[in-house]
Amino acid sequence: MKEIRRATIVDVGLKAGVSIKTVSRVFNDAPNVSAAVRERVREAAQELDYHPNVFAQGLVRRRSHLIGLLYENPSPSYVVELQMGVLDRLRLTRYRLVVIPVSSIQDRAAEVVGLLRSAALDGVVLAPPASDNPRVLADLTAAGIRFARIAPTQDLQAGPSNLIDDVAAGREIAEHLLSLGHVSIAVILGDPTHASSAARLIGYRQAFEAAGVALDPIMIEPGLFTRASGYEAACRLFDRKAGMTAILAQNDDMAVGALMAARERGLSAPEDISIVGFDDSEVSRITWPRLTTVRQPVFEMGASAADMVVSQLDGTPVTMRQDHAHTLLIRESSGPPPR
């Protein structure tokens, strides 16, 4: 089988009519190269299907050009959306993404810096709960590893952050159910190590108090942001005949689990029970009925966080805080309580 010869920097220089050094300066974004020459070199590279070796560049600059995404969240939809946002921002840069799942940030916080160093990363995007872990933040700062945070709720001065108002979002979706006439509403909480779970519960309580409706502790069940935990929590509620007419699940995966538990008992949503989620992940749009949920702009938050890391590495101005808007999406899974 004949080996296909790859274009080299020499080929690009010959085609563009410039020196190898000039080609190198173009791909390393060095100054003192005219716009016309840059365009000619890039056109030649495109015609020859030449791609600079980022690892070779990294040896010269003592950079790996690798940016990590550190996450624990067990929701596949959330993680994929976050990855896509980071990749979209890095697409036209020399940086590449390394995905680093950790089973428990809380248990392995002391190992994070060693993990990132072993992967030779230049910087890292921190998904929750790592984005709120004080040990992780302190160790990264001490090690000089650039980072940006997704959805932190504590110590917002500790590093560049991308935020949504989880309290306001929780309040808004609870107000939606209350406005439909529900007064017997159960809650399935997310992972307690994620600060967003507590923040959304605060928002629920604010809505209940404003409506003069009590949130009975017996109507609150723990979950872990997984479909299985949502199913199990809903089963416990149904089995003890809690009598709810609606369920507030703190993410879409748990809401789908609650829908499964309801169907097993011959209940339909929203005719017999309303079930709502949070995130607007893909599963919320393909399940039936489609879930009423809160859109958290995870893609945009990932892209913004990647931009913050790249800006730090490239020495350009860094946005230290980016607030992202949430949106209540009312779909078919919520309706008035049964008569």
Side-chain angles (χ1 to χ4, degrees), residues 100-336:
I100 306 175
V102 177
S103 57
S104 172
I105 294 294
Q106 188 174 42
D107 294 342
R108 301 189 62 189
E111 304 172 28
V112 165
V113 166
L115 188 65
L116 301 185
R117 279 181 166 162
S118 67
L121 301 183
D122 290 337
V124 62
V125 172
L126 301 173
S131 56
D132 261 327
N133 188 287
R135 175 66 187 270
V136 170
L137 299 176
D139 286 358
L140 289 174
T141 301
I145 297 175
R146 309 301 187 206
F147 65 88
R149 307 163 72 191
I150 301 288
T153 61
Q154 304 166 21
D155 194 12
L156 299 184
Q157 305 306 312
S161 300
N162 291 270
L163 312 167
I164 72 160
D165 190 336
D166 275 294
V167 173
R171 183 173 61 245
E172 194 168 339
I173 196 162
E175 287 172 344
H176 165 66
L177 290 178
L178 291 161
S179 72
L180 292 171
H182 293 279
V183 293
S184 184
I185 303 173
V187 173
I188 300 178
L189 300 174
D191 189 324
T193 67
H194 291 234
S196 60
S197 179
R200 291 169 196 175
L201 181 58
I202 290 171
Y204 299 164
R205 291 190 186 280
Q206 289 178 354
F208 279 62
E209 289 170 8
V213 174
L215 178 54
D216 190 335
I218 201 173
M219 302 286 271
I220 302 176
E221 279 291 329
L224 292 169
F225 285 133
T226 63
R227 194 172 308 172
S229 70
Y231 170 81
E232 291 162 3
C235 285
R236 291 193 295 270
L237 289 164
F238 287 126
D239 289 347
R240 68 167 175 261
K241 303 188 186 306
M244 64 277 182
T245 62
I247 295 177
L248 275 164
Q250 289 199 329
N251 81 341
D252 294 332
D253 283 345
M254 293 194 301
V256 169
L259 275 173
M260 291 166 58
R263 285 173 184 157
E264 283 185 355
R265 286 156 177 78
L267 301 175
S268 298
E271 293 81 8
D272 302 308
I273 186 166
S274 291
I275 299 175
V276 302
F278 199 105
D279 282 340
D280 187 34
S281 58
E282 183 182 9
V283 70
S284 73
R285 301 185 288 273
I286 62 175
T287 192
W288 187 258
R290 296 184 308 161
L291 289 175
T292 291
T293 189
V294 172
R295 181 179 185 270
Q296 179 176 202
V298 177
F299 181 96
E300 292 83 350
M301 294 169 80
S304 176
D307 187 64
M308 291 170 171
V309 175
V310 169
S311 295
Q312 292 175 75
L313 294 172
D314 289 352
T316 56
V318 181
T319 301
M320 292 302 294
R321 172 171 175 161
Q322 183 66 55
D323 291 281
H324 298 264
H326 65 271
T327 308
L328 174 64
L329 300 174
I330 300 173
R331 298 192 180 118
E332 294 84 358
S333 71
S334 61

Side-chain angles (χ1 to χ4, degrees), residues 24 44 48 72 95 186 266:
S24 178
L48 293 170
E72 175 190 313
Y95 295 99

